[in-house]
Amino acid sequence: MSVNGFTTDLIHADRRAGTEHGAVHQPLHPSSEYAFKDARELAAVFQGKSGFSYARQGTPTTAALERKITHMEQGIGSVSFASGMAAISAVFLTLLRQGDHLICSKYIFGNTNSVLGTLQQFGVEVSLVDATDVEQVKAAKKTNTRMVFVETISNPGTWLADLAGIGQWCTEQGLLYVVDNTLSGPYLAPAKDFQASLVVNSLSKSIGGHGHALGGTVTDTGLFDWAHYPNIAEAYRTGNSQNWGLTQIKKKGLRDMGAALASDAAHRLAVGAETLSLRMRQVCDNAMALAQYLQQQPQVVRVYYPGLASHPQHQRASDYFKQRYGGLLAVELHPDIDVFDFLNRLKVLALSTHLGDNRSLVLPVAHTIYYEMGAQQRAVMGIADNLLRISVGIEETEDLIGDFAQALGAYRL
Ligand SMILES: *Cc1c(COP(=O)(O)O)cnc(C)c1O
């Protein structure tokens, strides 16, 4: 897009694209429908010319947000949705057909995993693999394999997929490679670095940062050859083949399924996105300091954080993410500590689900997000009853460490 840095182009993107009255922000357009002076122009927009007709297919405000995400991911275009899950569902439901095979990381966001069940009901075959090891991904390939789907960092285990190895293999095989970049995000690394074909981001997390709007995007990196993808409908096989994938996602996914992002949410997410690099630096520094502090405490059995040398993919994370390691941390407390009593002692962190918020959030994993799967499955996944997930925010580092210090101080082991 330009030779400037990540944030420079992000914060000047609106006015450079041309706004009324020199406004430095893209104005918020709440209009549901768009009218035309010329009937031919109205027809042209319906026939593929770029423009706006009805807000379920986008507004100038969602388009401005999409430009920002496209810039951050160094892609060729993006489509926005009402949430990250809407974006993920649209990718699966519009690009896979009955009889296709999907290879998916088994360390995957719970709701994404739930969508896989729906896909199977519609006749899509799914193989779950340990994506930290590219050999397992390769071994799962069948003649009907169409897509490989992985997340960058798993929640709550913080395992790192072999993103670059899988990307290289998918490129060689001509397979569609979809990366959910939500957990590390485009500031630490655009998923194009790993040869992703499509990138999904939940904007509800770090990109918005403020925790008062949901949104999601799918970005095309421009690396995949859609001309050879068999599941593109005849109607969308026109013009530059680079655009075929996103066109199908936009028409069959956004327009037909209807999970459109509202302009006011798009506006708030775009404002949040402007400070992503500043916030991520503070978040990563906080998470690293907290991880180092916690791993030295006798009341803590284990800390999961890619920034720690003890993490099995520490070297991989260092290579991928410019010596920063994200804001997700998992901490297993000593089994003698009552996890609920411990959490009730915290004064700074909020007891809450959600990730990538400016506020640090903590929850007991087994009793909340992994409750539904049952004790047996949790044991298989290594989710201990005393495991906490911490989504680190932008508070002053000493306040976060101090909060844990006072709560841990109640337990002399
Ligand atoms: C939260 C999350 C999603 C879903 O995003 P929503 O905006 O909440 O729908 C998808 N993938 C990952 C990795 C997430 O953390």
Side-chain angles (χ1 to χ4, degrees), residues 54-129:
Y54 188 55
R56 181 154 37 74
Q57 292 193 69
T59 69
T61 322
T62 61
L65 173 66
E66 288 162 3
R67 280 196 296 276
K68 289 183 174 164
I69 307 297
T70 301
H71 159 65
M72 292 194 273
E73 289 289 356
Q74 300 174 15
I76 58 166
S78 301
V79 181
S80 59
F81 292 86
S83 68
M85 281 319 303
I88 290 169
S89 300
V91 166
F92 287 146
L93 292 169
T94 63
L95 295 176
L96 294 172
R97 289 185 182 168
Q98 186 175 29
D100 287 347
H101 175 237
L102 165 69
I103 302 174
C104 193
S105 163
K106 68 177 175 184
Y107 305 121
I108 205 113
F109 185 60
N111 301 159
T112 304
N113 192 58
S114 178
V115 175
L116 300 180
T118 307
L119 288 180
Q120 285 167 308
Q121 287 174 355
F122 288 132
V124 173
E125 266 186 88
V126 180
S127 297
L128 295 179
V129 300

Side-chain angles (χ1 to χ4, degrees), residues 81-88 108-112 149 151-155 180-184 200-205 213-216 354-355 389:
F81 292 86
S83 68
M85 281 319 303
I88 290 169
I108 205 113
F109 185 60
N111 301 159
T112 304
F149 185 97
E151 292 176 8
T152 53
I153 300 178
S154 75
N155 161 23
D180 180 341
N181 202 16
T182 303
L183 258 300
S184 45
V200 173
N201 277 289
S202 166
L203 312 180
S204 326
K205 312 288 172 59
L214 301 186
H354 198 40
L355 297 166
R389 182 188 75 188

Side-chain angles (χ1 to χ4, degrees), residues 101-333:
H101 175 237
L102 165 69
I103 302 174
C104 193
S105 163
K106 68 177 175 184
Y107 305 121
I108 205 113
F109 185 60
N111 301 159
T112 304
N113 192 58
S114 178
V115 175
L116 300 180
T118 307
L119 288 180
Q120 285 167 308
Q121 287 174 355
F122 288 132
V124 173
E125 266 186 88
V126 180
S127 297
L128 295 179
V129 300
D130 178 354
T132 63
D133 175 10
V134 66
E135 296 308 321
Q136 293 214 19
V137 180
K138 291 180 183 175
K141 184 171 184 272
K142 303 181 181 195
T143 51
N144 55 342
T145 303
R146 285 269 172 270
M147 183 191 290
V148 176
F149 185 97
V150 299
E151 292 176 8
T152 53
I153 300 178
S154 75
N155 161 23
T158 75
W159 313 128
L160 252 86
D162 184 352
L163 297 164
I166 298 169
Q168 181 59 34
W169 178 71
C170 286
T171 302
E172 287 160 15
Q173 300 287 319
L175 283 173
L176 186 63
Y177 180 34
V178 185
V179 175
D180 180 341
N181 202 16
T182 303
L183 258 300
S184 45
Y187 172 68
L188 291 187
K192 193 176 185 178
D193 281 5
F194 315 119
Q195 304 187 51
S197 319
L198 294 174
V199 192
V200 173
N201 277 289
S202 166
L203 312 180
S204 326
K205 312 288 172 59
S206 318
I207 289 180
H210 38 51
H212 60 67
L214 301 186
T217 43
V218 181
T219 302
D220 191 325
T221 60
L223 298 178
F224 188 70
D225 177 12
W226 293 102
H228 292 106
Y229 194 70
N231 296 355
I232 299 294
E234 210 45 53
Y236 309 132
R237 292 182 166 271
T238 59
N240 186 347
S241 64
Q242 272 210 319
N243 302 323
W244 293 1
L246 276 192
T247 301
Q248 181 149 311
I249 291 168
K250 188 161 183 175
K251 299 290 183 188
K252 294 285 173 188
L254 185 66
R255 183 196 64 187
D256 294 1
M257 296 181 207
L261 181 63
S263 284
D264 60 348
H267 173 71
R268 281 184 274 158
L269 292 166
V271 173
E274 291 188 346
T275 54
L276 180 64
S277 73
L278 288 172
R279 290 183 286 106
M280 279 308 282
R281 280 179 257 169
Q282 176 72 11
V283 160
C284 295
D285 290 353
N286 275 349
M288 188 66 160
L290 200 55
Q292 284 171 339
Y293 166 79
L294 288 171
Q295 76 167 352
Q296 287 162 6
Q297 307 311 309
Q299 301 92 334
V300 170
V301 174
R302 191 167 169 191
V303 179
Y304 301 82
Y305 186 63
L308 297 176
S310 57
H311 190 283
Q313 291 100 30
H314 174 64
Q315 187 54 47
R316 181 179 287 169
S318 304
D319 295 343
Y320 288 173
F321 300 137
K322 307 171 191 126
Q323 308 299 314
R324 291 186 194 264
Y325 303 92
L328 181 73
L329 196 66
V331 179
E332 190 178 327
L333 297 176

